[in-house]
Amino acid sequence: MATFKIDSVLKKLQLQAVNPGVSSGRSWFKDSGKYLSSFSPVDGKLIAKVSVASAKDYEKIIDFAQSAFHIWRSVPAPKRGEVVRQIGDALRQQKEALGQLVSYEMGKSLEEGLGEVQEMIDIADFAVGLSRQLHGLTMHSERFKHRMYEQYHPLGVVGVISAFNFPVAVWSWNAFLAWICGDVCVWKPSEKTPLCALACQHIVNEVFKRNAVPEGVSCIVNGDHTIGELLSHDVRVPLVSATGSTRMGKKVGAAVGARLGRSLLELGGNNAIIITPTADLNIVTIGAVFGAVGTCGQRCTSTRRLIIHESLYDAVKKKLSKAYAQLRIGDPLDRNNHVGPLIDEAAVAQYLSALEQALQQGGKTVVAGGVMKGKGYASGCYVKPAIFEAKNEMEIVQHETFAPILYLMKYKTLEEAIALQNGVPQGLSSSIMTTNLREAELFLSQEGSDCGIANVNIGTSGAEIGGAFGGEKETGGGRESGSDAWKVYMRRQTNTINYGATLPLAQGIKFDL
C-alpha cells in the first residue's frame, strides 16, 4: 500500500527522479553531480535523488539572502504576514500529497504525516496574526520631557537546520516567524528527508513569485553536515536554529558562540510521566502508549520513562503489557497500523544496542523487543516496541535512544518521583497523571519539573503551536513556535526621545558648559 500513489504524489509536489537540491527562492541551481539518495523506510525503495550544494553554491545562496534581507525588512510586517497567509492556503491545497510524502519518506503514520502539515498551516495562521503584534514597551523616563520605549528589528539571515523526524513542521515554526519578523532564511534539511524539504520549497517559491517577494528570502541548501558547519561558522548568519541530537547541538552552539552569534537549540529529550495513586488509569494508558510508540519513538518529546507509585505499579505494568500486545506494526500509510518503521538501518542498530545494554545494566524485560521479520517488513526498519523495568541511574536510561523503548520505575513519595523525573541530563517535556490538585501544583511549581514543558493529565508527546516549545539543560534552552518566541528572531532596541528644549542628564548629573 505504501507505493500506492507515490509517483502521482511526487508529480503533484513537482518532484522528479533526480532533483536539484539548492534554491534561492525563485530559481534552482544546476545539478552539482553529487547526490543524496532518499530511501523509504516503509519498503526500502529508492524514492528519488537530490543534488547537494557545493561550497560555491553556498556562497551564492548567502549573497542572495543578504541582498534580499535589505529589501524584505522594509516591507510592512502585515504585508509580510499576508504572504505567509497565502503559504498557509497553498499548504491546505497540498496537505494530502505532502502528508503522504512525509509519511512515506520519514516513516511516521499517515495521520501523523497529515498532522505535521496541519501544524504548518496552524503556525502560518499564528504568524499572520503576529505580523500585527510585533510590539515593544513604553517606559516612563526619569528626565523631564523625555519618552522611552523599546522596539524590535529583524536580525538578517537566519540559518535553519532541521531533523528527519519532523521534516517540514519544525522548519515552518522557524521560517514563518522569521519571515514576518523581516528576516530571510537559509534552510539545511536533514539528509534523510530531502524530498519533503524540496516539496515545501516548491510551494513557497510559487507563492513568493506571485507576490514579487525578493529572491533570497527563502533559500534551501541540501547537503551533509558540512553545510551545517558552514552556517554555524558564518558571521553573516546572526542566528542559527538547530534541531537534532544533543551531540550535534553542542557543536553548533560552540561554533556560533565562538563568533558571538545567537543559537536556538532544540535538542534531545528524556521525558517521563509520573503516575500518582489518584491517576485515571485509562488516561495513563493512552498517554503512555502513544507517547512511547508514536512515530516509533522518534520524537524529541517521546515518553522514555514511567515513574509509577508503588501502589499502582503492578496494575500499570499489566495494562501496558496488554496494550502493547494489541499494537499493529506495519506500513504507516495503512491507517489500521499503530507503529511504522524506524528511519533507517542505523537507527535499528542503535535500538538493538540499547536493548542489549538495558539487560546488561540490570533491566528486566516486561515486553520484549526485536526486529520484525517476514512479509511487509522488507526494509528491515520495523521493530517491536519494548518495555523494561529499570533504575533511573542506569547509563542507558540516562541517554536518549530514538526508538520505542520504555523504562518503568517505582517511587514512594512525590518528592522522590520529581527527583527521578529531574535526574537526567535532558529537560524537554514532562507530565504528571493525577487527580489531586496539590500534587499537580507541586509538580508545576519551582520545586517541581525542571523541563521546558510540564503537563498534567496529558502525555509528554506533542505540543500546540500557541505555546513556546523547548527545553532546558541538554535540551538546549531554545524556544520556538508560540507565545513570544518570535523575539529570538529580532534584535531589541531601547529608544529615548527628548522633546524638550533642554538636555537634562540621567541621575541628575550636572555638566554645564
Side-chain angles (χ1 to χ4, degrees):
M1 184 175 178
T3 56
F4 65 119
K5 292 179 180 176
I6 189 58
D7 290 338
S8 62
V9 166
L10 294 178
K11 185 176 180 180
K12 286 179 183 178
L13 296 171
Q14 303 182 59
L15 300 173
Q16 302 171 354
V18 179
N19 302 271
V22 183
S23 174
S24 56
R26 290 279 188 86
S27 58
W28 292 85
F29 285 25
K30 291 182 179 180
D31 194 320
S32 66
K34 296 181 179 180
Y35 306 96
L36 294 172
S37 295
S38 178
F39 292 91
S40 172
V42 175
D43 53 22
K45 294 182 179 180
L46 175 67
I47 310 173
K49 294 184 177 182
V50 176
S51 65
V52 300
S54 65
K56 288 184 179 180
D57 291 335
Y58 174 82
E59 287 299 321
K60 290 179 182 178
I61 284 295
I62 295 297
D63 286 344
F64 271 115
Q66 285 187 301
S67 297
F69 171 63
H70 293 107
I71 303 170
W72 184 243
R73 67 182 178 182
S74 297
V75 176
K79 293 189 179 298
R80 298 193 296 253
E82 166 58 19
V83 176
V84 173
R85 184 194 67 78
Q86 293 178 37
I87 293 173
D89 286 347
L91 288 168
R92 287 180 172 89
Q93 295 171 9
Q94 293 279 32
K95 180 179 176 178
E96 187 71 22
L98 185 54
Q100 289 172 343
L101 179 61
V102 168
S103 179
Y104 187 59
E105 187 176 32
M106 185 270 148
K108 63 177 59 177
S109 72
L110 180 57
E111 291 298 330
E112 289 181 277
L114 295 171
E116 185 170 345
V117 181
Q118 185 60 50
E119 279 195 39
M120 301 176 76
I121 295 167
D122 292 343
I123 199 67
D125 289 348
F126 179 86
V128 173
L130 189 61
S131 68
R132 295 178 182 271
Q133 296 291 324
L134 301 175
H135 53 77
L137 297 173
T138 298
M139 292 79 74
H140 289 280
S141 173
E142 66 185 36
R143 289 173 284 187
F144 184 65
K145 291 190 176 180
H146 281 56
R147 181 167 68 87
M148 293 177 63
Y149 67 95
E150 65 180 19
Q151 59 181 332
Y152 289 83
H153 298 301
L155 282 172
V157 181
V158 173
V160 180
I161 301 172
S162 62
F164 75 86
N165 60 330
F166 282 87
V168 295
V170 172
W171 163 74
S172 70
W173 288 4
N174 285 275
F176 294 1
L177 294 191
W179 289 336
I180 63 100
C181 289
D183 298 314
V184 301
C185 291
V186 176
W187 182 16
K188 189 273 177 196
S190 169
E191 305 98 295
K192 299 180 180 182
T193 51
L195 297 176
C196 290
L198 293 188
C200 292
Q201 186 72 14
H202 279 296
I203 291 169
V204 170
N205 283 0
E206 290 186 358
V207 174
F208 278 12
K209 186 177 181 179
R210 288 199 306 267
N211 289 272
V213 173
E215 186 171 12
V217 172
S218 177
C219 302
I220 188 169
V221 188
N222 272 288
D224 60 16
H225 64 93
T226 58
I227 299 297
E229 291 171 356
L230 288 172
L231 282 169
S232 300
H233 288 90
D234 197 334
V235 295
R236 297 167 295 180
V237 182
L239 171 65
V240 176
S241 175
T243 302
S245 68
T246 296
R247 179 181 58 83
M248 178 276 291
K250 287 181 177 179
K251 291 181 179 180
V252 172
V256 177
R259 59 178 174 86
L260 298 182
R262 296 190 196 180
S263 57
L264 194 171
L265 302 176
E266 296 289 357
L267 310 176
N270 195 345
N271 315 295
I273 299 176
I274 296 173
I275 302 170
T276 76
T278 66
D280 183 326
L281 292 190
N282 291 323
I283 292 178
V284 166
T285 303
I286 294 170
V289 174
F290 177 74
V293 309
T295 324
C296 202
Q298 296 172 112
R299 292 184 176 212
C300 51
T301 56
S302 290
T303 305
R304 310 290 179 197
R305 298 172 295 144
L306 288 189
I307 303 168
I308 310 164
H309 191 267
E310 58 185 5
S311 65
L312 291 180
Y313 187 83
D314 291 337
V316 170
K317 184 170 69 170
K318 183 176 180 181
K319 274 186 168 289
L320 289 174
S321 299
K322 182 178 179 181
Y324 270 52
Q326 299 174 52
L327 291 174
R328 292 184 293 273
I329 305 168
D331 181 350
L333 288 146
D334 183 342
R335 294 175 188 266
N336 293 314
N337 291 326
H338 299 112
V339 184
L342 290 173
I343 185 65
D344 55 22
E345 292 181 355
V348 175
Q350 291 178 344
Y351 159 83
L352 292 174
S353 176
L355 295 182
E356 184 178 349
Q357 291 179 63
L359 291 174
Q360 290 175 347
Q361 294 170 23
K364 296 181 180 179
T365 301
V366 176
V367 176
V371 180
M372 303 292 291
K373 305 290 185 180
K375 186 178 180 181
Y377 305 121
S379 71
C381 296
Y382 292 88
V383 301
K384 301 174 184 177
I387 302 177
F388 290 93
E389 294 182 285
K391 299 292 185 181
N392 204 54
E393 61 269 19
M394 288 166 50
E395 184 179 357
I396 189 63
V397 177
Q398 290 286 308
H399 293 284
E400 178 188 45
T401 302
F402 233 45
I405 302 175
L406 182 64
Y407 301 108
L408 310 184
M409 54 199 73
K410 294 180 183 178
Y411 79 90
K412 294 180 181 293
T413 68
L414 184 55
E415 289 75 12
E416 176 192 359
I418 291 172
L420 289 171
Q421 141 68 39
N422 295 342
V424 292
Q426 309 83 2
L428 179 53
S429 187
S430 58
S431 176
I432 188 170
M433 298 290 186
T434 180
T435 55
N436 183 302
L437 179 62
R438 290 179 176 176
E439 292 176 336
E441 289 294 342
L442 178 63
F443 178 73
L444 299 176
S445 75
Q446 67 271 17
E447 302 170 41
S449 170
D450 64 0
C451 294
I453 299 170
N455 299 324
V456 176
N457 291 329
I458 64 172
T460 63
S461 186
E464 294 185 38
I465 60 95
F469 179 88
E472 302 300 324
K473 301 189 295 187
E474 287 194 357
T475 302
R479 292 296 184 275
E480 293 173 330
S481 191
S483 185
D484 65 349
W486 60 271
K487 291 180 179 179
V488 75
Y489 305 97
M490 306 193 85
R491 58 183 177 87
R492 185 189 303 228
Q493 183 180 80
T494 301
N495 307 111
T496 305
I497 298 173
N498 176 4
Y499 59 93
T502 61
L503 182 56
L505 302 178
Q507 289 85 42
I509 294 173
K510 300 295 183 182
F511 190 73
D512 297 326
L513 295 178

